[in-house]
Amino acid sequence: MNWASWTTCGVFAGTGGVRTEEVGVVKGDLTVHTTWSNGQAEVAVQYSGASEWYTMAGSPVPCPSEEASRSFHQSVVEAVRAGGVATVPVLHGVE
C-alpha cells in the first residue's frame, strides 16, 4: 500500500472561512492536512494547536499519485487562504 501525507500549519483562513462536514464553517488560524492512499486524497483541517480534526467539505477526492497529492495539497492550502467558505478544490483531469 502506498501512502503519503502533507501538513501545513499556520494557514489563516480568508474571509468566510472553510466549510467542514462536522461543524460547518471554521475560521482563523488553521492547520491543513492531506492524506493520500489507494488513489484517493482526504483533507482535514483543525484550529492550529487544537486536537480535533474536521473533514473539509468535498473530501475525499480521487487523486492518481503521490506527486499529484502534493500539488493538490498546495491547492487546498491556497483555497483555505482565499476563504469564501472554501471547500476542497476540484482536481482537474481525474475521473
Side-chain angles (χ1 to χ4, degrees):
M1 177 171 115
N2 292 329
W3 72 275
S5 68
W6 314 99
T7 303
T8 303
C9 302
V11 180
F12 196 84
T15 303
V18 175
R19 180 165 305 283
T20 69
E21 297 293 335
E22 296 85 0
V23 296
V25 175
V26 295
K27 299 176 181 178
D29 185 7
L30 303 175
T31 296
V32 179
H33 181 77
T34 303
T35 302
W36 173 79
S37 68
N38 297 322
Q40 194 163 246
E42 298 181 24
V43 181
V45 296
Q46 73 176 174
Y47 289 106
S48 292
S51 59
E52 298 87 11
W53 287 96
Y54 306 112
T55 305
M56 193 167 167
S59 177
V61 297
C63 186
S65 67
E66 180 178 343
E67 181 178 291
S69 73
R70 177 65 186 107
S71 295
F72 174 68
H73 174 78
Q74 187 58 42
S75 295
V76 171
V77 169
E78 291 167 12
V80 169
R81 286 184 178 135
V85 192
T87 59
V88 171
V90 174
L91 189 60
H92 297 288
V94 177
E95 296 293 322

